[in-house]
């Protein structure tokens, strides 16, 4: 059997395998999928699964379901985790190898009393990274390291009954109550004069991230964790499915793999960082926890976040993508967050270079809304995906959608969301999801259920038939016409420290509104990462990269650009190419050695109050 082509026309469904998985019931649902002519089903182990995940029974079930789907004319895809996010192999990784748990760098600050001469500064244990005195914001003084003075202290006393029969079981009882100190903490006795006036005593400790379904997440920055993940999942699927994998089973869905904290740590990080950037990150960790705008502080954040993006690519997404290529399987899915640039820098760093390793550019939409003026942020994820698809020559765009949209979602509401995505250039839609069982709390697993057992099933079939003509057009090799590019301002967000911002203000608001203005003016628009700006060619007055062709470039509010980007912008301006700046001159240019003030900027700022009207007029 030849490999089934991707992308596919019609709806793809997450099929939640979430109970004992009785074959008679599952085969009945496969027949429903076949009657509805769905494009594919993703065999998704989910909360409530009572077939032991990762055991031989699980892989035998998958092989049986793959064969049953093929016999019914339904295309089966695999899913690489139980349940999500991808990378922990259903908890196997950290259960067997606790040292491979993902860890975050946590910051502990001594109170004034704990910083006094001779005082005891206590803080939680973990992987000790650095301890010392740090100067106030704006100071050029070097931190004072005190790491080697740290030891462990146990100060929580416990009284327990004790008697001689603990040791001498055949003698009369001789009771003796005992007390012990337990629960170690790190401790530092502050040396006299060690903390200058106005300085802070700070400790940094890497500690496991708690809160996943398995307790601890696996470290996606550690290639050994990825190797074990592939061994536990992908290799076992390949052994179970044999020649079916890569032919009849064309895709594996990966879901939300990423560094799971804004300040991830992994073994060897400091050594790798020093080799790449030429300085030790440890004395400058304070820069990652404050929004000091000094050039050195911004550079530290830029370097760390750029390192983290590349490390995730090297340690996780590329090895998984390489495995899929070697087995002729398309890696599909998404690595969130895709929309909010602040969330993106606090997790992934920059989505653009990561997306290129997916077979279909992907994103997730877990809100029952579309990218209108009230939800302008929702335009970002889909525009990144369509931009990467056209610029990098990927065969299509995929979305995971309708998850966590609530139990009251109607087919009419779903139709609006899926139509908006389709007309934005999404050719493959993965519906979250079709529940094999809704017994007990399963029905509340990120509802709604859109599968064969739900009240929405008939309506979803009608939506599918309405979308198919447009999907055939999109998936038939169409080129998305987007004559305008907006420079992706991620570097400016990487330079800042803003852990969370619920209000739509500042540069993030400006970026959302500029993208929305283009869309409201019916202007085809892409986002252009700085790396693609550098490699694009100017031909016949248009900026060309891959299948994309841009007649104009818009600059949103930016504070930092790379030196190469500024040089390229100057070249474009000198050549008469239209570059419209919605920003004043950036403050800094990132160079090989640091951040330099921007000396000149040839582009006048667009002063229009109504950006949508300006886009229409232009």
């Amino acid at each position: 059997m030849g490999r089934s082509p991707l992308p596919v026309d019609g709806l793809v469904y997450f099929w939640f395998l979430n109970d004992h998985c009785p074959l008679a019931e599952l085969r009945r649902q496969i027949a429903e999928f076949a009657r509805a002519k769905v494009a594919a089903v993703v065999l998704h182990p989910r909360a409530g699964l009572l077939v032991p995940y990762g055991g031989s029974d699980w892989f035998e079930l998958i092989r049986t379901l793959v064969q049953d789907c093929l016999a019914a004319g339904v295309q089966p895809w695999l899913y690489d985790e139980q349940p999500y996010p991808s990378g922990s192999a259903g908890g196997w990784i950290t259960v067997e190898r606790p040292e491979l748990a993902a860890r975050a760098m946590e910051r502990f600050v001594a109170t004034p009393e704990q910083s006094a001469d001779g005082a005891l500064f206590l803080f939680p244990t973990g992987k000790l990274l650095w301890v010392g005195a740090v100067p106030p914001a704006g100071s050029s003084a070097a931190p004072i390291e005190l790491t080697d003075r740290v030891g462990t202290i146990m100060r929580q006393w416990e009284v327990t009954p004790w008697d001689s029969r603990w040791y001498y079981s055949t003698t009369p009882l001789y009771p003796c109550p005992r007390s012990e100190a337990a629960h170690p903490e790190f401790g530092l006795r502050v040396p006299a004069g060690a903390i200058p006036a106005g300085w802070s005593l700070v400790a940094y400790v890497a500690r496991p991230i708690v809160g996943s379904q398995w307790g601890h997440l696996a470290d996606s920055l550690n290639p050994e964790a990825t190797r074990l993940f592939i061994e536990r999942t992908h290799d076992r699927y390949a052994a179970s499915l044999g020649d079916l994998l890569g032919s009849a089973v064309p895709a594996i869905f990966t879901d939300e793999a990423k560094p799971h904290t804004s300040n991830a740590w992994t073994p060897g990080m400091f050594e790798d960082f020093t080799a790449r950037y030429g300085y030790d990150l440890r004395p400058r960790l304070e820069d990652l926890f404050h929004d000091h705008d000094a050039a050195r502080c911004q550079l530290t954040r830029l370097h760390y976040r750029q390192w983290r993006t590349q490390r995730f690519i090297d340690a996780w997404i590329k090895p998984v993508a390489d495995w899929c290529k070697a087995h002729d399987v398309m890696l599909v899915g998404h690595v969130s967050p895709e929309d909010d640039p602040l969330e993106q820098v606090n997790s992934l760093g920059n989505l653009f270079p990561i997306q290129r390793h997916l077979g279909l550019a992907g994103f997730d939409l877990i809100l029952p809304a579309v990218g209108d003026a009230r939800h302008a942020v929702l335009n970002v994820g889909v525009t990144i995906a369509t931009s990467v698809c056209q610029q990098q020559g990927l065969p299509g765009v995929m979305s995971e959608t309708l998850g966590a949209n609530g139990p009251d979602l109607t087919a009419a509401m779903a139709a609006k969301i899926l139509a908006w995505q389709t007309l934005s250039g999404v050719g493959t839609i993965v519906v979250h999801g079709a529940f094999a069982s809704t017994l007990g709390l399963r029905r509340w697993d990120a509802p709604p259920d859109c599968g064969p057992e739900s009240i929405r099933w008939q309506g979803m079939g009608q939506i599918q038939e309405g979308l198919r003509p447009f999907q055939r057009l999109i998936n038939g090799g169409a080129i998305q016409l987007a004559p305008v590019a907006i420079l992706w301002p991620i570097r400016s967000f990487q330079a800042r420290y803003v852990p969370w911002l619920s209000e739509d203000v500042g540069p993030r608001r400006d970026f959302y509104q500029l993208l929305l203005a283009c869309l409201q003016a019916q202007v085809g628009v892409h986002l252009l990462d700085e790396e693609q700006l550098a490699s694009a060619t100017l031909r016949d007055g248009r900026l060309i990269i891959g299948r994309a062709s841009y007649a104009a470039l818009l600059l949103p509010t930016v504070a930092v650009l790379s030196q190469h980007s500024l040089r390229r912008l100057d070249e474009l301006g000198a050549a008469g190419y239209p570059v419209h700046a919605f920003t004043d001159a950036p403050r800094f240019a990132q160079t090989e050695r640091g951040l330099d003030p921007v000396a000149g900027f040839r582009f006048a700022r667009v002063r229009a109050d109504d950006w949508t009207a300006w886009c229409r007029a232009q």
Side-chain angles (χ1 to χ4, degrees):
M1 179 182 293
R3 175 176 171 172
S4 302
L6 266 73
V8 292
D9 302 331
L11 298 179
V12 180
Y13 283 83
F14 273 174
W15 189 21
F16 289 179
L17 304 174
N18 60 355
D19 62 359
H20 289 288
C21 298
L23 283 176
E25 172 59 21
L26 296 181
R27 284 167 175 157
R28 187 183 66 78
Q29 293 185 24
I30 289 172
E32 286 294 322
F33 289 129
R35 273 191 286 273
K37 298 179 181 178
V38 304
V41 293
V42 183
L43 306 179
H44 185 347
R46 196 72 183 189
L49 178 66
L50 297 174
V51 178
Y53 179 75
S56 58
D57 286 352
W58 170 255
F59 292 104
E60 180 59 32
L61 172 66
I62 291 299
R63 179 175 178 82
T64 299
L65 292 178
V66 164
Q67 293 171 331
D68 289 344
C69 284
L70 294 173
V74 176
Q75 186 180 106
W77 295 5
L78 299 178
Y79 185 91
D80 69 3
E81 190 49 84
Q82 201 292 94
Y84 58 85
S86 297
S88 293
W92 276 101
I93 306 302
T94 55
V95 166
E96 292 186 330
R97 298 279 299 276
E99 77 277 11
L100 295 178
R103 282 178 271 190
M105 295 185 290
E106 298 185 19
R107 174 177 177 264
F108 302 96
V109 183
T111 65
E113 293 75 18
Q114 293 171 325
S115 305
D117 291 353
L120 193 59
F121 174 35
L122 299 172
F123 51 95
T125 57
K127 172 64 179 177
L128 183 64
L129 304 180
W130 191 89
V131 181
V134 296
S139 172
S140 60
I144 301 169
E145 184 170 5
L146 301 170
T147 309
D148 64 353
R149 291 180 172 270
V150 175
T152 58
I153 284 182
M154 292 181 287
R155 58 174 177 156
Q156 297 187 38
W157 284 91
E158 297 177 355
V159 178
T160 57
W162 184 92
D163 65 62
S164 58
R165 284 182 296 188
W166 286 99
Y167 292 98
Y168 310 107
S169 60
T170 61
T171 66
L173 172 64
Y174 295 89
C176 177
R178 300 182 63 174
S179 65
E180 288 184 309
H183 308 296
E185 300 170 275
F186 281 140
L188 166 70
R189 182 71 68 184
V190 180
I195 315 300
W199 289 41
S200 300
L201 176 57
V202 183
Y204 300 94
V205 182
R207 292 165 52 80
I209 300 169
V210 181
S212 78
Q213 297 90 335
W214 318 288
H216 292 156
L217 294 159
D219 182 2
S220 61
L221 302 180
N222 190 325
E224 175 65 7
T226 306
R227 185 188 68 79
L228 292 175
F229 169 66
I230 291 172
E231 185 180 282
R232 276 280 180 187
T233 54
H234 297 59
D235 286 347
R236 295 287 302 273
Y237 282 125
S240 176
L241 295 176
D243 292 343
L244 294 175
L245 186 66
S247 56
V249 182
I252 296 179
F253 195 103
T254 192
D255 204 355
E256 297 187 8
K258 58 192 168 191
H260 296 281
T261 172
S262 60
N263 293 305
W265 176 88
T266 194
M269 182 181 84
F270 295 127
E271 295 78 5
D272 190 30
F273 186 95
T274 300
R276 186 170 303 183
Y277 297 111
Y279 64 90
D280 187 356
L281 177 61
R282 282 167 286 198
R284 292 168 62 164
L285 287 173
E286 189 75 359
D287 297 342
L288 304 182
F289 291 84
H290 285 290
D291 199 22
H292 306 324
D293 64 356
R296 194 211 71 168
C297 300
Q298 294 196 54
L299 184 66
T300 305
R301 291 190 284 270
L302 278 164
H303 282 164
Y304 172 71
R305 286 159 170 174
Q306 291 163 357
W307 176 88
R308 194 179 57 200
T309 297
Q310 190 58 51
R311 178 65 173 228
F312 175 70
I313 291 172
D314 294 340
W316 204 93
I317 195 72
K318 188 176 184 299
V320 173
D322 287 348
W323 187 98
C324 290
K325 290 175 184 175
H327 291 79
D328 198 26
V329 177
M330 184 175 283
L331 178 63
V332 300
H334 73 103
V335 285
S336 63
E338 291 94 4
D339 294 289
D340 186 342
L342 282 177
E343 291 183 16
Q344 198 172 122
V345 301
N346 283 327
S347 180
L348 297 170
N350 183 7
L351 181 59
F352 264 87
I354 296 169
Q355 281 270 23
R356 298 200 298 268
H357 294 273
L358 297 173
L360 300 174
F363 70 100
D364 189 10
L365 178 63
I366 55 174
L367 198 68
V370 300
D372 55 23
R374 294 179 58 218
H375 310 88
V377 61
L378 300 185
N379 293 310
V380 180
V382 64
T383 307
I384 289 177
T386 54
S387 303
V388 171
C389 176
Q390 297 293 309
Q391 294 162 6
Q392 299 299 317
L394 298 183
V397 176
M398 183 229 72
S399 76
E400 174 192 335
T401 191
L402 301 186
N405 276 207
D408 298 327
L409 184 80
T410 65
M413 295 164 63
K416 179 180 179 180
I417 295 166
L418 302 192
W420 168 70
Q421 292 185 29
T422 301
L423 295 179
S424 297
V426 181
T428 302
I429 294 176
V430 179
V431 176
H432 182 301
F435 294 28
S437 171
T438 54
L439 182 65
L441 292 178
R442 291 172 176 84
R443 72 175 61 246
W444 300 106
D445 179 7
D449 176 14
C450 294
E453 304 305 300
S454 77
I455 59 174
R456 302 167 188 86
W457 183 238
Q458 182 177 355
M460 295 303 294
Q462 294 169 348
I463 293 170
Q464 176 175 256
E465 292 313 303
L467 294 179
R468 264 204 168 107
F470 300 95
Q471 291 178 317
R472 288 172 184 147
L473 177 65
I474 294 170
N475 295 333
I479 296 176
Q480 186 182 50
L481 298 180
V484 170
I486 298 175
L487 191 67
W488 176 230
I490 198 67
R491 195 181 302 263
S492 296
F493 290 99
Q494 289 175 330
R496 299 186 61 196
Y497 171 77
V498 183
W500 182 257
L501 185 64
S502 58
E503 299 83 10
D504 236 354
V505 297
R508 185 176 67 175
R509 175 205 57 207
D510 294 347
F511 170 62
Y512 291 166
Q513 292 306 310
L514 182 57
L515 177 56
L516 180 66
C518 290
L519 296 171
Q520 288 178 327
Q522 302 296 304
V523 173
V525 62
H526 282 163
L527 300 175
L528 186 64
D529 194 35
E530 290 187 61
E531 184 179 346
Q532 275 65 60
L533 174 65
S535 60
T537 59
L538 188 60
R539 188 188 315 148
D540 298 327
R542 300 181 76 89
L543 202 60
I544 309 296
I545 179 166
R547 299 193 298 262
S549 172
Y550 305 119
L553 177 64
L554 309 184
L555 301 183
T557 301
V558 290
V560 183
L561 288 173
S562 76
Q563 184 182 48
H564 302 295
S565 295
L566 284 167
R567 187 179 300 124
R568 189 68 199 282
L569 289 171
D570 281 341
E571 293 170 354
L572 292 174
Y577 181 81
V579 178
H580 304 287
F582 289 76
T583 180
D584 295 323
R587 290 184 59 199
F588 295 108
Q590 185 178 359
T591 68
E592 293 296 325
R593 63 182 183 84
L595 286 184
D596 293 345
V598 173
F601 192 62
R602 71 165 60 236
F603 307 103
R605 179 169 188 149
V606 173
R607 297 295 179 182
D609 294 327
D610 187 336
W611 289 356
T612 301
W614 183 91
C615 289
R616 289 195 182 103
Q618 295 294 319

